[in-house]
């Protein structure tokens, strides 16, 4: 027998494995057939997938698992399944919480000079992050309770403190994943007026716990990694504006600056063997400006004051950008980059204040935020403020 093979179709026809190829070498009186390992990075579509692919190639266990993937177009999804990038939802939740909390605390709770003012509200917020080639869409729901008190020191100054507890559930941008975030935030606030001018300031500290379940699934592999860790966050907010009165209507343009710093401790996943990732501590920070206007009407229904109001604001991010999540498969280090948030977003809100008497106020507010990587689909609050 003499001659050569007309065609050698490597992976699909010979090995049935995307990352395993075949070569044929001809000698004078011999032919050698060899199976060769192809670089995983050659199948990656993004820098993050390349980083995971290179780290996996250095791990014998992960190399065996990825070699079992039959089709080339299935490997990018396999790299995503191994990646810890889904944990970036934690910082998105933290920064969204900071915006929602400081916006709520900027409202007037009707404190009376020389009296104690107490308020209580319940809230629920639903958000969603956009998908890209590295991670899928994430959704989260936060439910919280806010309690606080103020003291009107004078007609121009009110000071107080507050506490908020929030429970958040979300996914990690992959099918079947789940993360639970429990947060507690303490802080102080101050509000001042000078004629039609008004200012407001908040300083807060919060600590959180994280419990997560992350399935690692791709052709030939099914494992579940779990993790636990803790984090904390600092928040500082300063805002102010001017009230213009036109009969029963008040128009209040305002501006604000919010500083947030968030950190989560590092951790090592468990339960998934070689697929467990060790994730280093993560940090994110934000410097966000807000420019908006609020309109309010002073109506009465059955002699009871009723104040509907609407607001619109433009939010611009000055500091928060893409960051690095450092991770490892065992002793093999690698890093993936988070998505950089869009700089500008729009916030729209509406609410209703019902004055129950000289000492009590019932209120409800609803807000949405759009235009960024993280969108707030709905944020509503219902609360009561009383004076003693």
């Amino acid at each position: 027998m003499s001659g050569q093979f007309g065609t050698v179709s490597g992976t699909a026809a010979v090995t049935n494995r995307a990352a395993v190829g075949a070569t044929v070498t001809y000698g004078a009186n011999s032919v050698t057939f060899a199976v060769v390992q192809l670089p995983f990075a050659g199948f990656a579509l993004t820098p993050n997938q390349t980083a995971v692919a290179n780290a996996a190639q250095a791990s014998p266990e992960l190399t065996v698992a990825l070699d079992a993937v039959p089709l080339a177009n299935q490997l990018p999804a396999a790299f995503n399944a191994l990646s810890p990038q889904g944990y970036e939802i934690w910082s998105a939740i933290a920064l969204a919480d900071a915006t929602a909390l400081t916006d709520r605390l900027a409202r007037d709770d009707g404190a009376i000079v020389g009296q104690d003012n107490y308020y209580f509200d319940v809230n629920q917020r639903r958000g969603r992050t956009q998908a890209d080639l590295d991670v899928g869409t994430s959704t989260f729901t936060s439910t919280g309770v806010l309690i606080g008190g103020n003291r009107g020191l004078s007609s121009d100054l009110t000071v107080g403190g507050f506490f908020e507890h929030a429970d958040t559930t979300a996914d990690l941008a992959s099918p079947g994943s789940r993360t639970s975030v429990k947060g507690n935030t303490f802080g102080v606030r101050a509000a001042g007026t000078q004629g039609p001018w008004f200012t407001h300031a908040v300083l807060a500290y919060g600590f959180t716990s994280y419990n997560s379940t992350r399935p690692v699934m791709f052709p030939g592999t099914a494992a579940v990694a779990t993790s636990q860790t803790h984090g904390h966050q600092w928040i500082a907010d300063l805002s102010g504006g001017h009230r213009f009165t036109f009969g029963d209507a008040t128009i209040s343009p305002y501006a604000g600056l919010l500083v947030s710093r968030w950190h989560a401790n590092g951790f090592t996943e468990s339960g998934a063997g070689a697929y467990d990732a060790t994730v280093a501590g993560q940090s994110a920070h934000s410097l966000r400006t807000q420019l908006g206007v609020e309109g309010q009407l002073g109506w009465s229904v059955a002699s009871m004051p009723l104040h509907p109001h609407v607001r619109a604001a433009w939010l611009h991010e000055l500091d928060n950008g893409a960051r690095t999540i450092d991770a490892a498969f065992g002793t093999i280090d690698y890093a993936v980059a988070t998505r950089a948030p869009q700089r500008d977003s729009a916030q729209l809100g509406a609410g209703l204040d019902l004055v129950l008497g000289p000492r009590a106020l019932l209120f409800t507010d609803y807000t949405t935020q759009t235009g960024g990587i993280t969108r707030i689909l709905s944020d509503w609050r219902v609360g009561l403020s009383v004076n003693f």
Side-chain angles (χ1 to χ4, degrees):
M1 180 177 294
S2 63
Q4 298 182 357
F5 295 108
T7 302
V8 176
S9 299
T11 302
V14 180
T15 67
N16 196 33
R17 297 180 179 183
V20 179
T23 62
V24 176
T25 303
Y26 298 95
N29 297 296
S30 65
V31 58
T32 302
F33 175 83
V35 175
V36 296
Q37 175 70 61
L38 302 178
F40 292 145
F43 300 90
L45 302 178
T46 68
N48 281 353
Q49 292 176 4
T50 299
V52 174
N54 287 333
Q57 193 117 47
S59 165
E61 296 93 338
L62 297 183
T63 296
V64 170
L66 291 174
D67 277 345
V69 176
L71 301 177
N73 61 9
Q74 294 173 324
L75 279 169
F79 303 147
N80 290 347
L82 291 169
S83 172
Q85 188 180 345
Y87 288 112
E88 71 179 8
I89 188 64
W90 292 348
S91 61
I93 292 170
L95 298 181
D97 286 350
T99 296
L101 177 60
T102 54
D103 282 352
R104 157 61 185 93
L105 293 171
R107 67 170 290 120
D108 184 1
D109 287 303
I112 299 175
V113 177
Q115 296 187 9
D116 292 322
N117 167 255
Y118 300 97
Y119 54 89
F120 169 84
D121 73 49
V122 294
N123 59 84
Q124 185 179 77
R125 180 167 52 262
R126 295 175 57 249
R128 181 179 63 204
T129 63
Q130 297 180 9
D132 61 13
L133 291 176
D134 290 314
V135 292
T137 296
S138 288
T139 59
F140 61 89
T141 300
S142 299
T143 302
V145 175
L146 174 69
I147 59 175
N150 299 309
R151 179 76 176 180
L153 301 181
S154 69
S155 59
D156 299 330
L157 179 63
T158 300
V159 297
F162 60 88
F163 166 75
E164 183 179 54
H165 173 78
D167 288 337
T168 303
T169 58
D171 59 79
L172 296 170
S174 60
S177 62
R178 179 181 174 85
T179 186
S180 172
V181 183
K182 296 184 181 296
N184 296 287
T185 302
F186 301 84
V188 294
R189 64 186 294 202
T193 60
Q194 188 66 45
W197 294 95
F198 60 91
T199 58
H200 183 262
V202 172
L203 181 63
Y205 173 79
F207 54 91
T208 49
S209 63
Y210 301 93
N211 290 272
S212 304
T213 300
R214 186 176 69 93
V216 181
M217 301 181 66
F218 52 87
T221 293
V224 177
T226 61
S227 65
Q228 296 180 343
T229 192
H230 296 84
H232 64 267
Q233 182 177 19
W234 284 99
I235 303 169
D237 178 66
L238 179 64
S239 61
H242 189 285
R243 295 186 179 92
F244 297 92
T245 303
F246 306 93
D248 292 335
T250 301
I251 305 298
S252 305
Y254 62 90
L257 182 67
L258 172 64
V259 180
S260 304
R261 289 190 173 274
W262 166 86
H263 178 79
N265 298 332
F267 59 92
T268 298
E269 296 176 327
S270 62
Y275 308 106
D276 288 328
T278 295
V279 181
Q282 303 178 60
S283 296
H285 42 82
S286 170
L287 180 62
R288 191 221 66 196
T289 61
Q290 185 178 40
L291 184 64
V293 62
E294 181 172 11
Q296 180 172 287
L297 292 174
W299 291 348
S300 292
V301 176
S303 300
M304 187 172 292
L306 188 68
H307 301 156
H309 56 87
V310 296
R311 65 186 305 191
W314 168 56
L315 280 61
H316 180 69
E317 179 59 56
L318 298 172
D319 188 34
N320 185 30
R323 56 188 175 81
T324 297
I325 298 179
D326 295 317
F329 296 126
T331 60
I332 305 164
D333 296 329
Y334 65 100
V336 295
T338 66
R339 292 167 292 183
Q342 295 178 8
R343 294 295 177 183
D344 298 293
S345 60
Q347 187 184 69
L348 301 173
L352 188 65
D353 294 353
L354 178 62
V355 181
L356 302 178
R359 295 177 180 273
L361 172 70
L362 182 67
F363 62 88
T364 181
D365 292 299
Y366 181 87
T367 305
T368 64
Q369 183 179 327
T370 187
I373 294 294
T374 302
R375 301 190 175 195
I376 305 303
L377 306 179
S378 64
D379 184 356
W380 63 263
R381 290 180 181 266
V382 176
L384 176 68
S385 175
V386 295
N387 291 286
F388 295 99

